[in-house]
Amino acid sequence: MRTGVWLVGARGSVATTSIVGGLALRAGLAGPTGCVTELPELRGPALPAFADLVFGGHDLATTPLYKRAEALADAGVIPWRLVAALRDELAVVEQELRPAPTGVTQADRAAAVVRDLTSFRERHELDRVVVVNVSATEPSPQAHPGHADPAALRAALDGPDEVLPVSSLYGYAALLAGCPYVDFTPSTGLRLPALAALAEEARLPYAGHDGKTGETLVKSVLAPMFAMRNLAVGSWSGVNLLGGGDGATLADPAANAAKVQSKQRVLGETLGYVPQGGTRIEYVEELGDFKTAWDLITFSGFLGTGMRMEFTWHGCDSALAAPLVLDLARLTAAAHAAGLVGPLADLGFFFKDPLGAPTHSLGEQWARLTAFARQLHGGDGTHDNVG
Amino acid sequence: MRTGVWLVGARGSVATTSIVGGLALRAGLAGPTGCVTELPELRGPALPAFADLVFGGHDLATTPLYKRAEALADAGVIPWRLVAALRDELAVVEQELRPAPTGVTQADRAAAVVRDLTSFRERHELDRVVVVNVSATEPSPQAHPGHADPAALRAALDGPDEVLPVSSLYGYAALLAGCPYVDFTPSTGLRLPALAALAEEARLPYAGHDGKTGETLVKSVLAPMFAMRNLAVGSWSGVNLLGGGDGATLADPAANAAKVQSKQRVLGETLGYVPQGGTRIEYVEELGDFKTAWDLITFSGFLGTGMRMEFTWHGCDSALAAPLVLDLARLTAAAHAAGLVGPLADLGFFFKDPLGAPTHSLGEQWARLTAFARQLHGGDGTHDNVG
Amino acid sequence: MRTGVWLVGARGSVATTSIVGGLALRAGLAGPTGCVTELPELRGPALPAFADLVFGGHDLATTPLYKRAEALADAGVIPWRLVAALRDELAVVEQELRPAPTGVTQADRAAAVVRDLTSFRERHELDRVVVVNVSATEPSPQAHPGHADPAALRAALDGPDEVLPVSSLYGYAALLAGCPYVDFTPSTGLRLPALAALAEEARLPYAGHDGKTGETLVKSVLAPMFAMRNLAVGSWSGVNLLGGGDGATLADPAANAAKVQSKQRVLGETLGYVPQGGTRIEYVEELGDFKTAWDLITFSGFLGTGMRMEFTWHGCDSALAAPLVLDLARLTAAAHAAGLVGPLADLGFFFKDPLGAPTHSLGEQWARLTAFARQLHGGDGTHDNVG
Amino acid sequence: MRTGVWLVGARGSVATTSIVGGLALRAGLAGPTGCVTELPELRGPALPAFADLVFGGHDLATTPLYKRAEALADAGVIPWRLVAALRDELAVVEQELRPAPTGVTQADRAAAVVRDLTSFRERHELDRVVVVNVSATEPSPQAHPGHADPAALRAALDGPDEVLPVSSLYGYAALLAGCPYVDFTPSTGLRLPALAALAEEARLPYAGHDGKTGETLVKSVLAPMFAMRNLAVGSWSGVNLLGGGDGATLADPAANAAKVQSKQRVLGETLGYVPQGGTRIEYVEELGDFKTAWDLITFSGFLGTGMRMEFTWHGCDSALAAPLVLDLARLTAAAHAAGLVGPLADLGFFFKDPLGAPTHSLGEQWARLTAFARQLHGGDGTHDNVG
Ligand SMILES: NC(=O)c1ccc[n+]([C@@H]2O[C@H](COP(=O)([O-])OP(=O)(O)OC[C@H]3O[C@@H](n4cnc5c(N)ncnc54)[C@H](O)[C@@H]3O)[C@@H](O)[C@H]2O)c1
Ligand SMILES: NC(=O)c1ccc[n+]([C@@H]2O[C@H](COP(=O)([O-])OP(=O)(O)OC[C@H]3O[C@@H](n4cnc5c(N)ncnc54)[C@H](O)[C@@H]3O)[C@@H](O)[C@H]2O)c1
Ligand SMILES: NC(=O)c1ccc[n+]([C@@H]2O[C@H](COP(=O)([O-])OP(=O)(O)OC[C@H]3O[C@@H](n4cnc5c(N)ncnc54)[C@H](O)[C@@H]3O)[C@@H](O)[C@H]2O)c1
Ligand SMILES: NC(=O)c1ccc[n+]([C@@H]2O[C@H](COP(=O)([O-])OP(=O)(O)OC[C@H]3O[C@@H](n4cnc5c(N)ncnc54)[C@H](O)[C@@H]3O)[C@@H](O)[C@H]2O)c1
Ligand code: NA
Ligand code: NA
């Protein structure tokens, strides 16, 4: 099953790490640490092999992929020897990267993206192409009448307005090109009525949104722990200190707000009440591609006794995100092959703010994910998303 | 369903907090924070009401229960106003506390315990009495031929040897008296072939062992998180600083070893490999009834990138343990009423080192526990433990 | 040496703890833990004894002092038995508390304060009264022409403008009444040219500002450590989570800004450069009178090797501040008795943002403070502040 | 002032980092971050320039220096580009490394060391050679009558006994060769009556012992902070997790005991009482050349209010130690040139367990060190150590 992985933001940290990792896995130079789809509970015949993944993508930036990979090696995100060993393979992928589309109207730009995707699929004789958004986080978009339904949307896109935020425009183009779509960012993507309807029409599955890699991952196991033990969480305060490209973007208050909101949702929905406190994101350039999060949780136990827990998470976001990007590409490709349509709620395990998912508990998400994988690999065939 | 809760170590911190809490719940002076059996997923008609619990127990110590409760209030474990308000009720329980049994042979001492239990059950017209061991942790016991089977055991107990460690002698007496038994400590309890066989003969259920209240509770959600994400844990090192009676006991190297061993099991069994590092318990009198645990976890992600997490847990052990003692008494009473026999593997949720339990993941233990509760409250009746 | 301690904000947490503590010390019910002036290096005949301190003060609030003390005991700030034991003594102090002054112009209100201070001094036959500002932190004030010199100030105060922020108005009144003044808050106090000149005219000493009790205290020893070791601090980020009255005030962005600014000064001045990162203050009501601060410091060593340190400080602000209030009252009284005039730079040890002090290093501040005390107790008599 | 730096344990982590760093400084490839002697307060004409340092040393191991440097670069201790750039210079130093001495008696082995030192000094026309012990920590030595005085020692060394631990034998040889000696380790070195007397006879200065680089460095500023604020430290518990060569050595209980003891001294001597708790060292290979220390401090403030602080230190020991080795070589060379004799108490700033030093407070040690440097650079000439 030859599968294209088309990365929007293909020269970013997450994308570059995903590409280097995918190539390293294919070349047998690295193991699948961090790849969930290689665990016994998920592995199986329905998933494309790592060797069957072909990479391409769009980016506004023009820094050569190899330079980006070198910079990531300098920053301690990936090992030097891998970058050196994969120099030729990276040059091959470089040929598949395209500038962000241009055009007068958004309809023009969408058409340019469709051409890029179709040409990529045909050139490499791919069974399908999964589009994965790993570009910079956008501010929350303005409402627009074109968001309401497919007809209104098509009409509006031909006009002069910036109807759709960029993430949604790429999503729209993916649907037009017959490609399943994954949103790894907190941006809007397909989360607009018009686009959800279009995905149904196009019989395409999609997944999202906002990859769960750090503090929120930890929250998604600790919050259920407090809930299962009937302990009353009085406050949960967190701070995320991060450098890197994503950090700089999030320093923008509008983007920050979008991200913080998606982070707090886990708590309220898991505990059944919202504890005091909040989560902050601070940009500290010096921290580079590593992020340090610190959380303080105060809780009370039997008869009101006050207690507390704190944790510090020091993670490399791109190294945590990249294997999940590969996992999502594989699972979404398999879902497409199986004829599934619409939001893939069973992939909630991967996301901070999962589409249509009833739970934020990692354990419950895991149970759904493994059941989903069993079905893909030859389960009973009944599945909500089956079109 | 009038249910006796017979506490071995009845004047200890955990027992006293359990009794104060049980009386406060009955009197409507406190809510059930920390009581798992009051969560919607577990609540139901099969469980005895808090108001139906009657307390009694054995202890070596003679400090009046009220004095112990005052000391716990001084230490910030329970509120003053509760202790003051429950003075009379505590005096009533005081009447039900018995000194540790005496007698020349262990058989004599077991018989004394049986008399205490039987008399308690009859005096209060109880449907049943659940014996819960919350006495001081014992060192690992010496092997003895009498441990092998019931016949050998009975013969040996009549002789001069200290055949059984104290926790097991109480367990043996509980079985003779027809009482289900819960071991909240890391001690041996019923975990000897002879006693397991006797429990079968007596058609009695039992649960254990070692209440999971602090660092291990956190481990039982964090270790699965690393496993589910296929992250490679390189080292996991922990230190537990604790004062209190239990701390002093654990300062004894033999008891410490027993406890440390039960703590490390969670990791190996969940991850599938044992990371470097270990867990230490240190006695720091100054910390009183609160325990501070600190853990450092180093792990590597995709392409070997090194990361780390650390957490500090500052908990009041007795406030965490006491509601679980009430939960276990209720659930074990219900299991007995339902005719279940043998080790209650479905109660693994409560224990660091669960009897016959195939998992250390809190999420999976929760799934088993809630299924178990549904059955008790009127499920399909099929159950492994049903005799 | 009978000394009045007049607290502006006398019903607040810091003031109430100071009063309870002063009374407890006098009654021999508590020791001087936290009182710097009781250390061998500072103790001596020039300081008024605790028994010679007489308390009074102003507050906008009307909650009885005893109620405030009870609330602090409930919150774990001070022990219950002390509050109960000092009930009568607190009632006596209650008689010395006055509402905030009223009057049409600020001059009228200053005159009312002067009357309160003079009457307090005379009624109790005090050698002197030290005014200590421990009222709520103000926002940064508006500039006003009246701030420039004493003549302009006097003229303006008779008019309708709110010329001075409240802290400065109390300071002005203190000077008129012949009282030395201590500003324990980040507010403006005497830090205006007109008021500095007036203090010189009145031959009065004063001290400030912003008591150093938590995270900044730790910074004032850690930052010099990095400096003395020539380690390059790349980033220093902190978060302060606090409840309590002061927390609520600081939640106001303007007051927050004033406080945050005073916190960052320590770093830049000690290191010689300002590292990346910043300090945030967040209000979390649940935390009550305790504050949790967390700081992350990243630094590089020899040949650029990256390292990091983090600390968590969990302190009770009022318990840290109150003994310093007593210390400052004693030292400032002694300075007044010794004829010192103007800003007491030697008291920089006590403050986040010390008046006229050339150093933020606690070690160096300590050296100055102990030399100062030696002089007061009978040193050579030469002193910068001597008038 | 051409100065030899003779490293005992010359192929270890600290030594290799010191050599790479010294060469890098000479070549202008790195700055002096972490070098205390480059601070304005210490810099001056009395110290040999980095360019005047010539490296040599002994080691039991035979791994080429370049290989050790490569391994340190792999471990993130030093940058790759430096190692590559200094390949030739490292090969030159390689020529100056000698195997550990052999010989039948300890006197023979000492003589071999003397020959190595003398030949090094002459070959390079050095003004002097400072011997610095950075070899593996030894277990505490056995008492021996030869330790009492020089005569007894000389007699014993000619016999068959292992009279001196290795660190002391190197120290003895240094004295015979007329070389000042620095002990950077917790080993015995010159701390024996016979050797102290010999140093006096030989008119040589020496310094030690046990470089202060991590947790103890932090303790030496935090403990004085608590003392200066008259706060009562109830407990101070620490754990040090470390990999690396030194970690493996310290896993040996005897060496561990020596190190732990030197670590606790700081607290008792600074606070005036020994708080509860202790410090542990645990070997965790996975952590490599980085060390993570965690300390919990509980303290009480005014009226007994309980508070707590914890810190985590994540440092690279060799990167912290190496610049201090260069500092100590420079300062001790200057002290020798100035005619100082005996233990250099003014260098206590650098050590966990400073020779003859009256203080463990970093601030006070700094005051002494800077005064010492001023004298060396042309102070008044009066100095305790002047012979
Ligand atoms: N790394 C994680 O753990 C993680 C977790 C959740 C979500 N995310 C999200 O993943 C995204 C990527 O993160 P990153 O660290 O790689 O950021 P990055 O800044 O390194 O990369 C973003 C890339 O997107 C490109 N880009 C921006 N606008 C574009 C456009 N209109 N069209 C095409 N390309 C565009 C940029 O040029 C850049 O190369 C972010 O939105 C981030 O919030 C990351
Ligand atoms: N508190 C927790 O979170 C927790 C968690 C897991 C396990 N546990 C276990 O629970 C037990 C109780 O803990 P605690 O903090 O209450 O300790 P504790 O020391 O306060 O109480 C133990 C009591 O047992 C009594 N005792 C000792 N030997 C006895 C005997 N032979 N017969 C009768 N009584 C005897 C003692 O006199 C004492 O009153 C310990 O074994 C502990 O390891 C506690
Ligand atoms: N606690 C510490 O560690 C610490 C450290 C540094 C500075 N401070 C400062 O000390 C001050 C007091 O802190 P707190 O925790 O006691 O606060 P608090 O809110 O408990 O007390 C402040 C008191 O001031 C009174 N007040 C407000 N405006 C007034 C006015 N115009 N006239 C008279 N009284 C007035 C209030 O009614 C209140 O009783 C704050 O400014 C705080 O920033 C405290
Ligand atoms: N790194 C720090 O922060 C720090 C701080 C204080 C003290 N120290 C001390 O510095 C010493 C060196 O630390 P390291 O990390 O470099 O250790 P390391 O194990 O990397 O190096 C020690 C070297 O000493 C050599 N050696 C052992 N016995 C010897 C002998 N008899 N003669 C000659 N060489 C011998 C070994 O072969 C090895 O090369 C240790 O004693 C350590 O305790 C280090
Ligand atoms: Na911490
Ligand atoms: Na921490």
Side-chain angles (χ1 to χ4, degrees), chain C residues 5 14 97 179 208 219 228 243 297:
Chain C
V5 182
V14 171
L97 304 192
C179 299
K219 274 183 173 165
M228 288 187 274
I297 306 142

Side-chain angles (χ1 to χ4, degrees), chain A residues 12-13 73 160 163 201 203 226 238 267 274 294 320 344 365:
Chain A
S13 298
V163 183
E201 281 180 21
R203 319 299 303 146
F226 289 107
L267 288 184
V274 180
W294 175 78
L320 289 162
L344 297 170
Q365 292 170 335

Side-chain angles (χ1 to χ4, degrees), chain B residues 12-14 59 134-137 170 184-185 210-211 213 246 259 317:
Chain B
S13 297
V14 171
D59 203 304
V134 285
S135 77
T137 300
Y170 279 109
F184 201 78
T185 82
D210 203 3
T213 49
D246 194 27
K259 195 111 183 182
D317 269 5

Side-chain angles (χ1 to χ4, degrees), chain D residues 3-60:
Chain D
T3 304
V5 181
W6 188 268
L7 300 158
V8 181
R11 300 181 189 282
S13 298
V14 172
T16 304
T17 307
S18 302
I19 293 167
V20 168
L23 299 174
L25 281 161
R26 189 171 72 189
L29 296 173
T33 303
C35 288
V36 170
T37 47
E38 287 299 299
L39 288 169
E41 293 89 341
L42 293 175
R43 204 157 41 199
L47 303 179
F50 287 125
D52 290 337
L53 303 182
V54 180
F55 295 95
H58 285 114
D59 203 303
L60 279 180

Side-chain angles (χ1 to χ4, degrees), chain B residues 141-149 152-153 155-157 160-165 192:
Chain B
Q142 300 290 323
H144 189 286
H147 298 171
D149 63 69
L153 179 61
L157 289 174
D161 289 6
E162 291 294 310
V163 181
L164 292 175
L192 292 172

